[in-house]
Amino acid sequence: MKKKETVVEKETKKEKTSNNETKIIETINQLRPYLNSDGGDIEYIKYEDNYVFVKLYGACAACMYKDYTIQDNIYEAIKEIVPECKGIINVEL
């Protein structure tokens, strides 16, 4: 049987997610100028279940190397500050 979370555990989890979300947004904002210099951009969507959801724009959205950019650059930078991050999902709307 699954253990039911207490109110304190839920609040602690919420605070940790909020703190991680802030770190992720700051990291994305630090990386943004590099994407902008190639005619692209990135938008943070959300952080849920230890996955970061982003949307690429401009040249980055159509680039054949976007998966490498996401995994080798953006994910690695985020993973350094949020070790529990499992991956990045590019949301193509």
Side-chain angles (χ1 to χ4, degrees), residues 21-36 41-44 74 78:
E21 196 169 32
T22 301
K23 291 177 183 178
I24 291 166
I25 292 168
E26 288 173 357
T27 302
I28 288 173
N29 286 335
Q30 290 173 355
L31 298 172
R32 179 171 278 119
Y34 298 103
L35 298 173
N36 292 160
D41 203 358
I42 186 170
E43 176 187 1
Y44 169 81
I74 300 168
I78 290 172

Side-chain angles (χ1 to χ4, degrees), residues 34-84:
Y34 298 103
L35 298 173
N36 292 160
S37 69
D38 281 336
D41 203 358
I42 186 170
E43 176 187 1
Y44 169 81
I45 305 292
K46 65 180 176 178
Y47 178 63
E48 184 176 278
D49 297 327
N50 293 329
Y51 285 92
V52 178
F53 293 80
V54 298
K55 177 156 178 50
L56 296 177
Y57 289 97
C60 290
C63 179
M64 64 183 191
Y65 299 111
K66 67 182 172 188
D67 293 332
Y68 295 109
T69 299
I70 289 171
Q71 292 307 312
D72 295 341
N73 300 107
I74 300 168
Y75 174 65
E76 290 302 321
I78 290 172
K79 184 82 171 156
E80 283 185 28
I81 59 153
V82 183
E84 55 271 13

